[in-house]
Amino acid sequence: MSLFWSFAAGQKVDISPGFRYTVTVQEIRNMYRTTLKIDGMHCGMCEAHVNDMVRDAVDVKKVTSSHTKGETVIITETAPDLEAITAAIQKQGYRVLSSESEEYEKKGLFHRK
């Protein structure tokens, strides 16, 4: 028999005597999703170069680029340094046309609204 409970981070759990439970409470942190519109990516190798430049410029959880969409999407745990990212990308000859950053909550496998 499996039971699933949801607890807030830091919440103390009082379980009746005679039962053995291990409770792990994990704090859910919001992350940031930044979308950059980039000019100059023409192939998969360009995508890889842009991804590497972003990883070198800031600490990321995930970065993906699409030359067909002309965009790079970056997921970070802290607010990203857009100036550092833009400078790193433009240093290699690509142009950052626009950037948009918003809070992002990672959805789990069984997420429901």
Side-chain angles (χ1 to χ4, degrees):
M1 182 169 146
S2 297
L3 297 173
F4 296 95
W5 292 318
S6 178
F7 300 99
Q11 180 178 354
K12 292 184 179 181
V13 180
D14 185 17
I15 303 296
S16 300
F19 293 97
R20 296 181 126 200
Y21 293 98
T22 301
V23 178
T24 302
V25 178
Q26 183 178 12
E27 182 178 355
I28 299 173
R29 288 178 268 167
N30 282 343
M31 298 192 290
Y32 295 87
R33 176 177 33 211
T34 303
T35 304
L36 304 173
K37 293 293 184 181
I38 299 177
D39 183 40
M41 290 192 293
H42 302 291
C43 63
M45 191 54 93
C46 293
E47 295 171 1
H49 285 143
V50 170
N51 291 347
D52 289 342
M53 287 180 274
V54 170
R55 285 186 192 103
D56 290 343
V58 293
D59 185 28
V60 300
K61 292 298 280 182
K62 182 178 179 182
V63 59
T64 56
S65 294
S66 169
H67 71 278
T68 55
K69 293 180 183 178
E71 73 178 17
T72 296
V73 178
I74 306 163
I75 306 294
T76 57
E77 288 185 335
T78 59
D81 183 356
L82 293 176
E83 290 180 13
I85 296 169
T86 301
I89 292 171
Q90 290 182 339
K91 183 178 178 183
Q92 295 299 319
Y94 301 97
R95 281 190 329 149
V96 177
L97 303 175
S98 67
S99 62
E100 180 181 317
S101 190
E102 62 188 0
E103 282 195 14
Y104 169 77
E105 184 177 329
K106 183 178 179 181
K107 308 285 191 285
L109 180 61
F110 300 107
H111 174 75
R112 294 184 188 200
K113 279 195 166 191

